[in-house]
Each structure stands twice: as structure tokens, then as C-alpha cells.
Amino acid sequence: MFIEVLKYSLIAIFTLTLVCAAVNSIRSHRSTHPATTGVYRSWTNIWMGAMLIVLALILMFVFSGSTLSVVVEALFLLVGAYNLFAGLRNRSHYARLQQQAEGRSPHPSSPSV
């Protein structure tokens, strides 16, 4: 019973991450400002990484422990973790660029005299 509930909740989370990744991808393609485009693309990476991790978890519960399925699950986990890390790193970079473009904070390397 618990495993069935877990499977369906993971499928719901997978669907949510899929929709969020698609929405941010569309936003990034429609954006005109480069920093805003970068922020949306980084969010797309974050959602794609989460989606791959959830997909690996779904595969762990659905398929038996054959060698091929374990290798595929491990690859999905690694690629998902890399996407998540790269998206978080890029988001902080582009968020700083976006703030500088809007004039909210001065450039961090400029000396204040």
C-alpha cells in the first residue's frame, strides 16, 4: 500500500517538474533581455535535474534490480544532480547580472571611493 502511494506521488511530482521545466523553457525563449533569459534557462536546468532525479526514483520502484536498470538509474541520478548543480550555479550568476542591469546593486568589484 505504501509503495503504491509513493509511486503515484512520485509520478505527480514528475508531472509537476515536467510542466515547470516546459514553462521556464518557453519563458526563456520569449524573453528579450539576456540576463532574464539566463535566469529562466537556469530554472529550466533546475527543474530538469529534479525531473531526472524523480524519474530515477520511479524506476527504482517500478523495475526489478537488473544490471541494466541499475546502470540507467545511476546515470539518471548523475545527470540530474549535475543539472541541478549547474542550474543553481547559473541562477546565482544571472540573478546578479539581472540586479546590476536593473541598477539595484553596484558592481561588486568596483571600488567605492
Side-chain angles (χ1 to χ4, degrees):
M1 176 74 181
F2 175 72
I3 299 296
E4 292 296 320
V5 172
L6 187 62
K7 283 182 194 178
Y8 289 122
S9 62
L10 285 173
I11 290 171
I13 293 170
F14 177 78
T15 306
L16 176 71
T17 57
L18 177 72
V19 169
C20 289
V23 166
N24 281 307
S25 177
I26 292 169
R27 285 172 139 181
S28 74
H29 288 291
R30 290 186 178 185
S31 176
T32 58
H33 192 268
T36 307
T37 301
V39 169
Y40 287 138
R41 284 186 183 168
S42 64
W43 274 109
T44 302
N45 270 356
I46 292 169
W47 287 114
M48 289 288 286
M51 183 174 64
L52 283 171
I53 291 170
V54 170
L55 184 62
L57 292 174
I58 290 171
L59 291 175
M60 286 180 193
F61 288 112
V62 172
F63 293 111
S64 64
S66 71
T67 305
L68 182 63
S69 75
V70 170
V71 169
V72 170
E73 293 162 5
L75 284 175
F76 281 177
L77 279 173
L78 286 174
V79 172
Y82 178 76
N83 265 359
L84 196 62
F85 172 73
L88 289 171
R89 184 189 59 204
N90 291 340
R91 188 188 104 20
S92 66
H93 173 73
Y94 283 113
R96 256 185 273 120
L97 286 179
Q98 192 176 30
Q99 286 177 352
Q100 289 172 3
E102 293 173 358
R104 285 191 269 172
S105 69
H107 194 273
S109 64
S110 64
S112 58
V113 181

